[in-house]
């Protein structure tokens, strides 16, 4: 398995999983001079990395045995359990960059602890082309055993920036999913906007520039929303109150009907504001709708 290269003074990285993201991570570590051992269930995916100097393991157990820092970038949490079944994790640091839920990360941390490993969970806020390109701004949320990040941060920061999310193992996954959830809402609005104007005179490329500029300006309101939530005062610094927002959303729905566009992407949010207004919170803005989403004990 060992590749005949000069000994590196940099720590070895053991990487399990060579999809688009895993392969990008491996290339970044290799380019930075780290010895890298890779394993993938479909062995052919490792060959391009072998050509770049990676050591290719025949099994996950063989890969894990070659180094202290073990990074997983697999399909899901179940894949991690399957890949690591029967491997010796005692004394190793397991860094999971596999997308999963917060509760799965919490459970995986305990699973690793029982096998003698320290655990760090990661949530990747980047796409493969951003890996190894610092100016692209990609980073990874990390949570769990803080000492693991402290000891390996120089290595983990090679492909993507690092951001500490907290001691709860599932925190990284939670912040990852929170940002992705906001992204999905954004894409829903953008899709609806394009549906409205798709047949109009202005070229869609020109409209897209206006759309991006408008969304960037509106994104700044997230800060004031955070202040309202932390204070518990949803009437604080309200620019548009619920009656205004509800009336405006009814106009949006009517205009969609006129344009022959289904309102289904926006209707859940409109319905939430209608419900909050019906409860008598006339002086609030839209942030108070959060109270209708959170299931309290």
């Amino acid at each position: 398995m060992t590749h005949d290269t000069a000994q590196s003074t940099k720590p070895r990285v053991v990487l399990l999983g060579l999809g688009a993201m895993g392969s990008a991570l491996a290339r970044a570590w290799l380019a930075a001079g780290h010895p890298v051992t890779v394993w993938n269930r479909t062995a052919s995916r490792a060959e391009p990395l072998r050509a770049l100097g990676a050591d290719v393991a025949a099994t996950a157990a063989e890969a894990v045995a070659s180094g202290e820092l073990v990074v997983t970038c697999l399909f899901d949490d179940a894949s991690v359990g399957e890949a690591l079944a029967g491997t010796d994790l005692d004394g190793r640091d397991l860094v999971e960059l596999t997308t999963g839920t917060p509760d799965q990360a919490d459970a995986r941390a305990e699973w690793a602890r029982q096998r003698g490993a320290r655990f760090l969970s990661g949530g990747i806020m980047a796409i493969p082309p951003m890996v190894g390109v610092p100016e692209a701004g990609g980073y990874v949320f990390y949570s769990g055993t803080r000492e693991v990040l402290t000891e390996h941060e120089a290595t983990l920061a090679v492909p993507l920036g690092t951001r500490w999310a907290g001691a709860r193992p599932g925190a990284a996954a939670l912040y990852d999913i929170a940002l992705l959830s906001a992204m999905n809402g954004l894409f829903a609005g953008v899709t609806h906007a394009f549906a409205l104007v798709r047949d109009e005179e202005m070229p869609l490329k020109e409209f897209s520039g206006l759309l991006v500029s408008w969304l960037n300006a509106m994104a700044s309101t997230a800060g004031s929303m955070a202040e309202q939530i932390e204070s518990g005062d949803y009437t604080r610094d309200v620019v548009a109150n619920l009656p205004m927002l509800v009336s405006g959303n009814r106009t949006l729905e009517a205009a969609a009907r006129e344009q022959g566009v289904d309102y289904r992407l926006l209707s859940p949010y409109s319905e939430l504001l209608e419900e909050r207004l019906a409860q008598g919170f006339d002086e609030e803005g839209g942030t108070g709708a959060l109270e209708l989403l959170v299931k309290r004990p």
Side-chain angles (χ1 to χ4, degrees):
M1 179 188 74
T2 303
H3 199 281
D4 293 326
T5 58
Q7 289 293 323
S8 172
T9 58
K10 295 185 177 181
R12 175 174 293 275
V13 180
V14 175
L15 178 62
L16 309 182
L18 298 175
M21 181 58 75
S23 295
L25 294 172
R27 287 193 296 270
W29 276 312
L30 288 167
H34 285 270
V36 179
T37 301
V38 298
W39 172 84
N40 193 71
R41 190 178 302 278
T42 303
S44 60
R45 291 187 178 177
E47 293 310 309
L49 296 169
R50 189 199 299 273
L52 295 176
D55 296 321
V56 179
T59 65
E62 180 184 337
V64 169
S66 71
E68 175 189 343
L69 178 61
V70 179
V71 180
T72 65
C73 191
L74 296 161
F75 181 70
D76 56 16
D77 180 70
S79 301
V80 174
E82 292 170 6
L84 294 176
T87 62
D88 182 6
L89 292 173
D90 189 39
R92 288 174 170 76
D93 292 330
L94 178 60
V95 179
E96 186 174 3
L97 300 184
T98 300
T99 300
T101 71
D103 283 356
Q104 285 175 335
D106 290 341
R108 185 61 63 192
E110 177 59 21
W111 178 92
R113 188 194 65 77
Q114 292 175 1
R115 288 158 179 78
R118 297 188 300 179
F119 182 82
L120 195 64
S121 180
I124 300 177
M125 303 312 303
I127 56 176
M130 299 169 70
V131 174
V133 185
E135 58 271 25
Y139 61 90
V140 180
F141 282 120
Y142 286 105
S143 61
T145 308
R146 186 69 173 87
E147 292 76 16
V148 176
L149 180 59
T150 299
E151 293 175 23
H152 297 291
E153 188 160 18
T155 299
L156 294 174
V158 167
L160 291 163
T162 64
R163 297 202 179 189
W164 181 243
R168 178 193 173 188
L174 181 60
Y175 284 110
D176 177 11
I177 289 170
L179 292 182
L180 293 176
S181 297
M183 179 192 74
N184 277 352
L186 172 68
F187 286 164
V190 169
T191 301
H192 184 85
F194 276 125
L196 289 172
V197 303
R198 70 195 183 283
D199 295 328
E200 298 303 305
E201 183 176 341
M202 182 186 296
L204 291 182
K205 186 66 175 178
E206 180 180 345
F207 174 73
S208 70
L210 298 174
L211 184 58
V212 169
S213 177
W214 172 249
L215 292 175
N216 283 336
M218 292 301 98
S220 64
T221 62
S224 61
M225 290 177 67
E227 292 174 356
Q228 289 177 349
I229 295 167
E230 288 180 339
S231 69
D233 182 3
Y234 298 122
T235 66
R236 178 177 176 177
D237 299 324
V238 168
V239 176
N241 61 27
L242 272 178
M244 293 174 61
L245 292 174
V246 167
S247 175
N249 284 345
R250 290 171 181 168
T251 300
L252 298 186
E253 184 172 7
R257 285 198 302 269
E258 291 175 2
Q259 293 295 106
V261 173
D262 195 310
Y263 195 62
R264 74 176 74 182
L265 289 175
L266 302 187
S267 60
Y269 182 60
S270 294
E271 291 167 3
L272 206 64
L273 296 187
E274 294 262 11
E275 182 179 347
R276 187 68 172 172
L277 178 61
Q279 292 177 341
F281 296 98
D282 299 55
E283 296 182 4
E284 289 185 359
T287 310
L290 174 147
E291 297 295 333
L292 298 174
L293 296 176
V294 178
K295 296 180 179 179
R296 310 229 181 246

